Amino acid sequence: MTDYLYTPLELAIIIRYHKMNAADYTEMLHNIFRYDNARLAPGYQHDERKLMLDVMDKLNYLSDRRRYESEQEEIARDMADFGLSVDTAKSEVQYTCSHLVFKDLRLRITYININRYAKIKLRTLLNQLGYKRRSSRIMEYIFECLWVYGILATYDGVKYCDLESIHLDETIVFKVVTE
Amino acid sequence: MKTYIETKANGIVSPKSGSSQRALYDHQKRAIANLDIINRNSSYSTLIVLPTGGGKTYTAAVWLLRNAIDRKKKILWIAHRQTLLDQAAETFQSYAYSEVIPSISSFRYRVISGAPEHDRTIDIDKKDDLLIISKDSIGRNLGALDKWLEGEKEIFFIIDEAHHSTAKTYRKVIDYVKGKVSNVKLIGLTATPFRTAESEQGLLAKIYTDGVENGVFIHNDKGITYQISLKELINRQILSQPIIESYNTGEDYARFIGAKDLEMIQRLDILPEDLADDMVNNAARNKFIVEKYVQNKKKYGQTIVFALNVVHAIALCSLFNHYGIKAGYVVSSVKDVTTGVTRSREDNVKVFQEYREGKIQVLVNVNILTEGVDLPKTQSVFLTRPTVSKILMTQMIGRALRGEKAGGTKSAYIVSFIDDGLDKISWSNPETIFEGNNDFADTNSEYEKRDIRLIAILKIEEFAKMLNDSVDTRELEKIPFTQRIPIGMYAFTYLEENGMDISYQVMVYNSTKEAYEQLMDNLPALFKEYGNDEEYLSANKLSEMAEQCRSTFFLGEMIPPYDEKDIINILKYYAQYEAAPTFYTFDDLDKSKIDVCAIAKQIVDQKMDSTIQAEYIRRLWNDGDNNIVRLFFGRIKYFYDQIDKEVLRITAPYIYEDDEDNVVYGRRQFENMSLYEIGRVNPDYEKALRNAAFDKAKTADGQYACASCGNKYPNRIMLQVDHIVPMNRGGKTKIDNLQILCRRCNGEKGDKPEDMQ
């Protein structure tokens, strides 16, 4: 189940995608820490400073990947010189990002979009997940994720939308269920 | 059957017939003329300052052969390195011509040190005319000189590398000899009056008091009989005009350099083994070096190549030969790993001869050619190893600098090979040797770069720890970055027992400035209290004294903190020179280039997203003025990390506030902990307790009284805080159970409460 939780790399990818500046993303991270704490990966639920610094580190990594990787050996050497073990979890950059589309969706609705909702066509959502049309398997996955991330599909913000029956080009208004 | 072996450690030298083929240059003649002037006095203490290549040992030896040996006056020659002892002995032997020692049939010399090939102090014979001794051998056994000095009314006392003679052992030997012989003629030889703390403080001037100016003897004012600069020797064409070139090998060695390696290189000039191995075995790098010569062989002409080690010398030599360049190598007496043949001194002599005759064009060596061998036709030197040592750099360059008037060449090519990834080290480079009016004066920008590098080497530990979750650096992070840049440093060098120079810097922050100033002021009292007279302190003594310094001066919260290692090195230095090291301020350092607080503010104010932010940071990294940013941070990740922390300080300042406690832990009362333990968790409370205890001991005249013997002391360094009832008998760390005792009373009391004494 931990792959449903937010990792620093995933948060960094989302922040980068939305071109957020430092003030905005630290505010978002602060809110995630306060209100979405249970959705943070283990190790981050009790340490806000670590969360912020690790997300920033991943942002730097994503922006300067080549140089970051080229320095790994040298930094490991520095650490060894001072009797410090290399923090493998932190230096491990080959994370598998899971459920990123829905993680992003929840953050957009909750913290990024002013309107507190997100409008997406079902076709676009399927495309983002790598599919062209509905199948029972993908729909099962979508429902599971919507449930896990507390997201509700509506037509207009109020009326429930049945994703299995609507037209692919129909716009869905996603909201977060108030917990 | 022979029951002995020949040793070069002692011998009898008979005059060679005729006169030396090596003529004295003008500056050497001037030095000798001035020595003649000062020598009209029955005793004196003076310096001769001749740069490398200026023939310092040769000039002194020729003058001493004529003025001391030939007049049957004894010579005591002291140096701190064994190679210098051998070099001195060889010079006296080589120039002992009947022209300079016409009145004697022979003289007896002896070389003494801890080295297996040398004699010991017990071997000293009254009949020895020339005693060449290592500083430490004689320092440990001064009495060994007694018989040799007995009855002597006049002695010539030479100290080689005299800039070290402010060290305690040298001073002890000087005082001892002066106490035994009424007329001591003390001559210090040095390549340059180095920019060191001790010379700046005038300690050298206190030892060397006499000199010659405009042909007149000056007493107690100018301590130099003759000096000439490297630049002046070049102008006079005694040394050739240097043409400095450098080639980038394209090799990147960043991966070989860890933080400890940086320290090792900067302090001891020792390359990490794996780095040296790679340079040696790197076929592409070796080929690059050789091809540079091949492409320019007319320009470079006869060339001396300085290799990293013996294997490297042999590899380069065979590569030169492979390319059709006649090359030979000279190394110390070792077994040639490729041929299995042991190189002897004779083999080296043969190679030298072939080089002098032009039969070989390239002479590869490790560092045996830094001094002593005369190879006038050398047109170029190739420096294939980087060095931080200005002395080694000067000596290597000195090989090619024989000027036209000295039978050499008009100009000389100094060719260094630069590798990437090593720019964090403050390498010595040929340019700085020749810059400025002073031989060794660096330009301001070089000074700045050097200061930045020195700070950076010490900051790496901080940067690395901050990156690592296992170390809690929150307290340090609370301090803005700019306050974590030192405000200055104490920089000093001292000699280890093995003769190795240790160059050390103690970084000083606003937080530690006052404590260090108090420590420096109280060093004489501390050493007096601990009754220390040794030049090399034992580890126990050092640790005991360091704790006394901590509990006296380094109390209370200090962020950034001081490092006990720094105190220990200051104590080692003081033990040797009996002077506090000099403080160099970083006031002139332009800290704006590395001010991550300002960079972070810019990122936040400009509302940069992560892509724009990364571009901005990369620009600073790549285009920083003189690469100061890169020099300081070393790794871009450290740079990013420090910026991130400052960004957070602006956007999320609450991160640095103390956490709310949600657990009520058990409590351990301070009164049940030792002062030392309290200091580790609450330095300010420890400081308050100690201050209160001292306040109790304060007398009406502002001194402190020992609660046991009643003796009064002007300052705290001689005193210790004591538990009246020891803790192991239930005594508490409370002010009413604390008293001040002098170190001796405290030692005698041990853990006994007062009523049990």
Side-chain angles (χ1 to χ4, degrees), chain B residues 259-291:
Chain B
K260 289 278 180 220
D261 297 324
L262 286 174
E263 218 172 312
M264 190 83 152
I265 296 168
Q266 202 69 62
R267 297 210 163 122
L268 304 172
D269 200 28
I270 295 174
L271 295 181
E273 214 170 292
D274 49 353
L275 169 63
D277 282 352
D278 191 272
M279 281 185 176
V280 167
N281 298 317
N282 187 328
R285 190 177 186 275
N286 290 344
K287 190 165 168 254
F288 181 88
I289 293 167
V290 172
E291 283 181 348

Side-chain angles (χ1 to χ4, degrees), chain A residues 49-50 71 77-78 81 85, chain B residues 256 468-469 477 636 638:
Chain A
R49 171 184 161 278
K50 181 173 161 63
E71 278 187 347
R77 212 182 153 110
D78 289 351
D81 275 350
S85 57
Chain B
F256 288 98
N468 194 282
D469 290 337
E477 285 169 30
I636 198 167
Y638 295 152

